[in-house]
Amino acid sequence: MSKDKNPRRVADNEARAKLRMLKTSPQKLNLVAGLIRGKKVERALTDLTFSKKRIAQDVKKCLQSAIANAENNHNLDVDELIVAEAYVGKNMTLKRGRPRARGRFGKIMKPFAEVTIVVRQVEEQA
């Protein structure tokens, strides 16, 4: 009488991790996500380690989580993983303000973003 198991949202040779509430704009985060799309995970981790962008360390943490999910939950080989997808979404925006001249009020928007990383196992062609 229990409920059916939820179907997997990714394929059998994939694993994913999502990181929410990153304190940066989605546009800036997408620049860092573009660095790792389509690369092998070792190369992507190296690129994120030596990137000068502040948010790169958080993206690296998300990528390491996706790799750990692939290894521990889905029994995938870490050496054959590539970053299949890395996409960015908007999250909430804090609305702040600052008094301006002549009784006006200047809006200050402080955006948050989220990143989703999907790693896929591909067999090496020899």
Side-chain angles (χ1 to χ4, degrees):
M1 295 298 294
S2 64
K3 293 194 295 187
D4 292 335
K5 182 179 171 184
N6 283 334
R8 285 195 63 195
R9 292 184 174 93
V10 291
D12 289 336
N13 63 339
E14 292 179 347
R16 119 180 142 172
K18 187 168 195 172
L19 194 58
R20 294 188 173 105
M21 297 298 292
L22 291 170
K23 181 62 187 93
T24 187
S25 70
Q27 188 174 5
K28 291 177 184 177
L29 184 58
N30 196 33
L31 291 173
V32 177
L35 286 174
I36 63 172
R37 283 189 193 107
K39 293 185 178 178
K40 294 183 71 61
V41 291
E42 303 91 29
R43 176 66 191 218
L45 285 171
T46 305
D47 289 350
L48 290 173
T49 301
F50 295 107
S51 175
K52 291 186 177 183
K53 303 275 189 185
R54 174 189 62 86
I55 203 66
Q57 297 309 312
D58 293 326
V59 176
K60 179 181 173 188
K61 189 186 295 188
C62 184
L63 178 58
Q64 288 171 331
S65 177
I67 294 168
N69 289 342
E71 184 179 16
N72 298 321
N73 300 343
H74 307 302
N75 300 320
L76 301 179
D77 186 15
V78 177
D79 297 328
E80 296 178 353
L81 291 178
I82 63 164
V83 180
E85 301 173 23
Y87 51 92
V88 174
K90 287 164 68 170
N91 209 307
M92 71 169 209
T93 302
L94 290 177
K95 280 92 172 175
R96 298 292 182 258
R98 181 181 182 122
R100 306 301 291 175
R102 300 172 68 181
R104 293 192 176 100
F105 187 74
K107 274 188 181 179
I108 297 175
M109 307 299 239
K110 297 189 173 191
F112 285 76
E114 56 189 46
V115 63
T116 305
I117 296 178
V118 178
V119 293
R120 180 180 300 140
Q121 179 177 344
V122 292
E123 287 74 29
E124 308 236 351
Q125 291 86 16

